[in-house]
Amino acid sequence: MSIRYEYLESIDSTNNEIKRRASDYLKPWTVISAGTQTAGRGRTGHSWESPKGDSISTSLFLRPLLPPEAISRLTIIAGMAVASAIEKLYPLKAEIKWPNDVLVNKKKICGILSELFFTGDGEKNVVVGIGVNVHQQDFPEEIKHMATSIDLELKEKGRGSRKELTEGLWEEFERLYKAFEKTGDLSMLKPKYNDRLVSRGERVRVMDPVNPYEGICIGIDDTGALIVECDGGDIRKADAGEVSVRGIYGYV
Ligand code: BTN
């Protein structure tokens, strides 16, 4: 497989565009990127800002032979791909806030939204959507304290490139995905992922919708679930498809 790239100046959401075109002979491993999104979507119903020409909004179409519960592993792969691409291209250190945020200097630089959807032909499809802040110099008041961009972090050391980073992150995704296909688990990236995991060894709150709980963040297992050691020594596993995690002192 090789990745084919399409670029649109403006679209409601690159994830939506993939979904609309999935039944229309869209080839797996097609990436659709946009200069801006008018209705970008984040996780848990939030919106996602993609100011014109300043950020990466990019989505990959896949038809993976995976059980639905394993789809969240693609988000783990995508997080790792973005963090690795940032570090390869720029003098920056990237961390991952499990399961779907990439951070630089403890601030969010990237969000990932993977979605499973079915087409009329009964096919199981996935869109992996990635948003990266590249040239933004400022953010809305309510997210200022926790958001950053490549250019803000590079300071006088240079400027990011949307094209270079988009291609770099999908190439890295493809490389990791090929390794993942052989085993179906994330053992091949687990050690490096855990090295990048923010809050590892620290106390976190697992935002389980039914039963939130706290414990020490240990790392991910081979399925991408987050291992948390609760008070009293109980080990619990949080599934990436269902919950998110907060540091108990704020965003990280
Ligand atoms: C999050 O942090 O909540 C996830 C944000 C995901 C944003 C990307 S931008 C490209 C793709 N299209 C969308 O509408 N959302 C994702």
Side-chain angles (χ1 to χ4, degrees):
M1 65 214 156
S2 65
I3 303 171
R4 67 194 71 222
Y5 293 94
E6 281 187 36
Y7 184 80
L8 305 166
E9 284 304 332
S10 175
I11 193 76
D12 55 347
S13 146
T14 51
N15 273 28
N16 291 357
E17 181 67 2
I18 295 268
K19 287 183 182 179
R20 281 190 290 266
R21 289 175 46 193
S23 45
D24 195 16
Y25 306 108
L26 190 67
K27 289 215 165 42
W29 291 94
T30 300
V31 166
I32 299 183
S33 308
T36 187
Q37 298 182 118
T38 54
R41 293 186 291 108
R43 287 221 329 179
T44 56
H46 287 100
S47 61
W48 177 262
E49 294 299 320
S50 314
K52 195 171 175 189
D54 274 349
S55 64
I56 292 173
S57 304
T58 186
S59 300
L60 169 71
F61 174 51
L62 289 176
R63 287 198 153 160
L65 299 170
L66 289 173
E69 69 275 10
I71 301 299
S72 57
R73 292 174 202 173
L74 302 178
T75 298
I76 302 289
I77 295 174
M80 190 66 188
V82 173
S84 305
I86 289 175
E87 287 192 2
K88 268 190 189 164
L89 291 167
Y90 308 112
L92 298 174
K93 187 165 166 19
E95 293 182 293
I96 299 173
K97 180 174 175 289
W98 181 93
N100 74 318
D101 294 353
V102 178
L103 316 184
V104 174
N105 286 327
K106 310 285 181 220
K107 290 183 164 185
K108 180 163 172 171
I109 205 156
C110 160
I112 300 161
L113 179 66
S114 302
E115 298 180 282
L116 172 69
F117 65 102
F118 293 87
T119 30
D121 52 8
E123 283 280 354
K124 186 175 69 211
N125 309 280
V126 171
V127 53
V128 180
I130 299 180
V132 190
N133 303 325
V134 180
H135 300 310
Q136 286 99 321
Q137 290 297 323
D138 210 358
F139 289 92
E141 205 51 46
E142 54 295 359
I143 58 167
K144 233 181 191 138
H145 63 290
M146 55 175 232
T148 193
S149 69
I150 300 280
D151 287 4
L152 279 175
E153 295 302 325
L154 282 175
K155 301 189 177 86
E156 73 286 352
K157 282 180 271 175
R159 219 172 117 77
S161 154
R162 291 191 301 137
K163 183 169 189 296
E164 182 181 59
L165 184 51
T166 302
E167 292 178 2
L169 70 88
W170 287 125
E171 272 160 31
E172 198 58 25
F173 182 95
E174 185 182 17
R175 191 183 66 75
L176 293 169
Y177 186 86
K178 278 182 181 163
F180 164 69
E181 264 187 326
K182 292 195 182 121
T183 59
D185 69 34
L186 299 170
S187 49
M188 82 298 176
L189 61 67
K190 188 173 70 176
K192 284 191 177 156
Y193 190 97
N194 283 335
D195 284 347
R196 292 191 183 284
L197 194 59
V198 73
S199 300
R200 191 174 180 204
E202 291 169 15
R203 198 168 178 81
V204 292
R205 183 165 180 78
V206 179
M207 309 305 284
D208 185 306
V210 183
N211 179 21
Y213 56 93
E214 286 184 10
I216 302 299
C217 168
I218 305 292
I220 60 163
D221 69 8
D222 285 348
T223 72
L226 191 74
I227 306 165
V228 177
E229 186 179 336
C230 299
D231 301 342
D234 275 1
I235 296 289
R236 295 183 67 166
K237 289 188 174 184
D239 186 273
E242 289 154 20
V243 299
S244 62
V245 157
R246 296 243 177 95
I248 54 164
Y249 300 114
Y251 170 59
V252 293

